[in-house]
Amino acid sequence: MTGSSPSAPGRRPAFQQVAIDDLGTPLPEVTFVVVDLETTGGSAHTDAITEIGAVRVRGGTVLGEFGTLVDPGRAIPPYVSVLTGITSTMVATAPRMASVLPAFLEFARGAVLVAHNAPFDIGFLKAACAEAGTAWPAATVVDTAVLARRLLTRDEVPNNKLGTLAPFFSATTLPTHRALDDAKATVDVLHGLLERLGPLGVTTLEELTGLTRQVDPQRRRKRHLADDVPHGPGVYVFRGPGDEPLYVGTSNDLRARVRSYFTAGEQRSRMTEMVGLAQRVESLPCAHDLEAAVRELRLIAQHKPRYNRRSRFPERLLWVRLTEDAFPRLSVVRRVRPGAGVFLGPFADRRAADAAVAAVHDALPLRQCGGRLTPSPTHPGCALAGMGRCGAPCTGAQSPADYAATAAVLVGAVEADPGRLCAPLLGRVDRLAHEGRYEDAAVLRDRLAVLVRALRRRQRLALLTEVPELTIARPDGAGGWALSVVRRGRLVAAGVATRGTPVRGYLQQLKTTAETVTGPEHELAASVEEAELVLRWMEKPGTRLVEVTGTLACRTPGTGPLRGFLALVDAGRAARDPFGDDAGGSTRARPERVTGGAPGRARRSALASRV
């Protein structure tokens, strides 16, 4: 065995105790490859890369650049060309991704990949590797959007978009929606963010990549709250100092889900704040996922926990009602009352309800004035009558029978066939677009989409409202059956007939202990969200109808013929700006912001963490 003398010049001892600073890879020694892509759209599964730009840097020095256009093998949509300046003509002679990919992977070999909103760029690169049959290299990835959220406050920048951060850090290159320019701008943003890490004690690559995975010590100390939570499906309730519900959630594995709140996997600032207040966790085991989801809804509606955002106020849903009088009109109400007219909806907010009302008025000349109407030949009428948008029943120009025939079109649309109501609007959308009035066409199209979705939702709810009792079953994955008993849309009993258990006998026991629904017949006995949960459970592949009391049937033709229209509207909305960043540079993980303190430690502030 040979060794060297500790005093030998230029030689390092064979055995040496290193300092803490020697652990990990110092950031000045890390090679980063900052990459940016331009694409034909926002989906890595259906769109393709049109340009790659990358910069290789280490220690603040640029080691190389990589930039090329890429032939995506398809036409570039006009809105993308307007955004990026890249046209189909420009990429016609460019290499295909299959030949560009090996060169880029070689350029990035051994480096840490950096991107702004990394899931977008890395997702496209992984998809390209999969299509080419090339293994994706196990590279460390740093997202400058996440770092910016951790290190910057709203007082400094209003959002974390690259276009905002580049001027803030005095970048020498501003982003232009061209790949190499955006990559150069991201390099300057990265260096500006790294400068902020020094005073925080983050000096190594390992500390940098672990920055968004730090766990607040206070949260770690509360891991014992999950000790008594069982495995299996159910509902969990975090309770505060006064035993008040703070947050209600559901999971197919209660124990695993609750434990995740005390780990680095939970990065939402609201949940971090909630866990800090929680004193205990209550668990409510359920037979299967539908029962758990329904119980969650009911508990949220009952207690309105401060940290739940959705489903807290089901009573705030709105409906559009066609009143019952000689000359009915549309009004927006909060409650469906049997026998009080025809109801359309529900709608989440007044804006959606008003859009549906406007669509109906665009299609039918229903009166828009309020109150009861007494026809009189001396009545002056209104501007809408002069424009042909009202039959002027107030002047006696339209009889109750003629008016009723007009209103019957809406009644028929709600109950079964929206064709007569929607056909004129579809024709008008096409006509406006043909005349080049695209903005007017888009407004009418969006109104019509709101109306069609409301009709579809109402007809689906009516499907369950008319069924006194319904029993449905799904395989539980272990040879048994998950059973649900539903009465007028309300889940009244749930259980699992395990493998070897006679299903019919078990089902009879389940019905004996089932809840008895109250309220008028032919009225939904559950909240809208609960009924829709039941409908989605019914529609899953493998679900079987065991018993049905009454008639379970869809009115025909329903909104089925309009599904193609809704699909086009959804596709158009997604394509308006596939690169839009409405969330201000946020990512799926919303890490706590670093505000200083001991090295590697994240201190949070309830005010500073709100973005």
Side-chain angles (χ1 to χ4, degrees):
M1 179 176 182
T2 61
S4 59
S5 169
S7 58
R11 303 288 297 275
R12 184 169 181 172
F15 303 99
Q16 167 180 333
Q17 181 173 344
V18 296
I20 293 295
D21 291 339
D22 292 331
L23 300 177
T25 308
L27 288 174
E29 299 178 11
V30 176
T31 301
F32 296 99
V33 168
V34 182
V35 62
D36 186 84
L37 307 178
E38 301 302 332
T39 66
T40 60
S43 172
H45 301 290
T46 58
D47 294 301
I49 298 171
T50 60
E51 187 177 31
I52 298 180
V55 181
R56 191 178 180 96
V57 295
R58 183 173 63 241
T61 302
V62 175
L63 304 179
E65 295 180 354
F66 181 97
T68 180
L69 291 170
V70 180
D71 181 4
R74 68 193 72 179
I76 299 177
Y79 59 85
V80 174
S81 295
V82 170
L83 181 69
T84 65
I86 301 174
T87 64
S88 298
T89 303
M90 293 171 60
V91 299
T93 58
R96 299 295 293 268
M97 191 62 200
S99 59
V100 173
L101 186 62
F104 170 76
L105 293 179
E106 179 62 26
F107 178 80
R109 186 163 59 91
V112 174
L113 293 179
V114 180
H116 196 77
N117 288 327
F120 177 87
D121 302 278
I122 302 304
F124 269 94
L125 290 172
K126 287 183 176 180
C129 284
E131 184 177 353
T134 303
W136 173 252
T140 300
V141 178
V142 172
D143 192 334
T144 49
V146 173
L147 285 179
R149 181 172 293 280
R150 289 297 304 270
L151 298 171
L152 304 177
T153 67
R154 271 294 180 97
D155 293 334
E156 295 176 293
V157 290
N159 56 58
N160 295 310
K161 298 178 182 179
L162 183 59
T164 302
L165 297 176
F168 177 78
F169 286 113
S170 302
T172 56
T173 303
L174 295 180
T176 61
H177 278 298
R178 291 301 299 269
L180 189 56
D181 283 349
D182 288 7
K184 292 178 179 178
T186 306
V187 169
D188 290 334
V189 170
L190 174 66
H191 288 159
L193 293 170
L194 293 181
E195 288 178 3
R196 294 215 168 194
L197 294 178
L200 300 173
V202 179
T203 60
T204 67
L205 175 63
E206 289 71 18
E207 290 174 327
L208 173 64
T209 56
L211 188 62
T212 60
R213 297 195 298 269
Q214 294 173 0
V215 184
D216 190 291
Q218 182 182 7
R219 182 165 22 143
R220 187 185 298 113
R221 286 193 294 268
K222 291 196 172 185
R223 288 179 295 181
H224 67 278
L225 297 181
D227 291 347
D228 296 328
V229 177
H231 290 285
V235 178
Y236 56 90
V237 183
F238 281 86
R239 293 189 175 271
D243 211 40
E244 74 279 11
L246 297 174
Y247 182 79
V248 179
T250 182
S251 176
N252 284 326
D253 188 336
L254 284 172
R255 186 177 180 83
R257 182 67 186 101
V258 172
R259 286 173 63 89
S260 71
Y261 284 89
F262 310 107
T263 68
E266 179 53 73
Q267 295 287 353
R268 292 172 293 176
S269 58
R270 284 174 59 84
M271 293 298 100
T272 300
E273 181 180 319
M274 182 274 295
V275 171
L277 295 173
Q279 299 299 309
R280 72 182 183 95
V281 179
E282 177 184 359
S283 57
L284 303 172
C286 297
H288 47 66
D289 58 340
L290 176 59
E291 183 187 11
V294 167
R295 285 199 178 203
E296 178 193 29
L297 277 178
R298 294 177 185 175
L299 287 170
I300 292 174
Q302 177 184 354
H303 298 291
K304 297 178 173 40
R306 60 186 293 192
Y307 290 97
N308 283 96
R309 286 183 169 173
R310 65 174 183 84
S311 309
R312 292 176 63 192
F313 302 102
E315 65 276 6
R316 293 183 181 177
L317 290 176
L318 299 174
W319 302 78
V320 173
R321 174 193 174 207
L322 182 66
T323 60
E324 284 195 330
D325 50 36
F327 301 99
R329 62 185 179 85
L330 298 179
S331 65
V332 178
V333 297
R334 289 200 179 276
R335 187 174 182 273
V336 174
R337 293 185 292 110
V342 175
F343 291 85
L344 171 64
F347 301 91
D349 52 43
R350 183 68 187 233
R351 181 179 179 181
D354 288 342
V357 169
V360 174
H361 284 150
D362 284 337
L364 300 175
L366 295 176
R367 70 183 181 100
Q368 301 182 32
C369 50
R372 289 192 174 276
L373 187 148
T374 303
S376 172
T378 61
H379 197 284
C382 64
L384 291 175
M387 292 186 294
R389 300 194 61 182
C390 178
C394 57
T395 66
Q398 190 175 29
S399 68
D402 291 340
Y403 191 94
T406 300
V409 176
L410 176 59
V411 175
V414 173
E415 293 181 348
D417 185 4
R420 291 180 60 196
L421 177 66
C422 298
L425 299 178
L426 289 169
R428 188 178 171 192
V429 169
D430 290 340
R431 185 167 62 255
L432 290 171
H434 182 72
E435 295 172 356
R437 298 168 59 185
Y438 300 116
E439 292 184 0
D440 293 338
V443 169
L444 183 58
R445 176 204 60 199
D446 291 344
R447 285 180 183 174
L448 178 56
V450 172
L451 174 62
V452 172
R453 290 192 178 95
L455 291 168
R456 179 176 182 271
R457 198 174 186 188
R458 180 61 175 156
Q459 291 175 5
R460 283 168 55 81
L461 293 173
L463 176 71
L464 287 182
T465 303
E466 300 295 328
V467 181
E469 185 175 280
L470 169 69
T471 304
I472 46 183
R474 286 186 50 76
D476 70 346
W481 291 92
L483 301 169
S484 297
V485 181
V486 180
R487 292 173 181 165
R488 299 209 321 267
R490 183 177 181 85
L491 180 68
V492 296
V496 175
T498 57
R499 183 175 184 177
T501 301
V503 177
R504 292 290 179 180
Y506 180 82
L507 182 57
Q508 291 306 315
Q509 297 177 15
L510 201 60
K511 289 184 176 182
T512 301
T513 59
E515 175 188 354
T516 301
V517 298
T518 58
E521 294 184 3
H522 307 294
E523 182 178 357
L524 197 64
S527 69
V528 170
E529 285 189 274
E530 178 175 335
E532 289 178 332
L533 281 175
V534 172
L535 284 168
R536 287 195 290 270
W537 209 69
M538 289 173 56
E539 294 166 348
K540 288 183 178 180
T543 302
R544 297 189 182 183
L545 298 179
V546 182
E547 294 179 353
V548 178
T549 301
T551 302
L552 179 66
C554 298
R555 302 289 181 90
T556 58
T559 57
L562 295 168
R563 283 182 296 182
F565 164 73
L566 292 178
L568 288 175
V569 172
D570 292 338
R573 182 175 291 110
R576 288 175 194 174
D577 186 2
F579 309 98
D581 191 4
D582 296 334
S586 66
T587 58
R588 185 175 181 180
R590 300 175 66 87
E592 304 160 14
R593 183 172 291 112
V594 175
T595 58
R601 180 174 178 176
R603 298 179 183 272
R604 65 178 176 79
S605 161
L607 178 61
S609 64
R610 294 179 63 86
V611 177

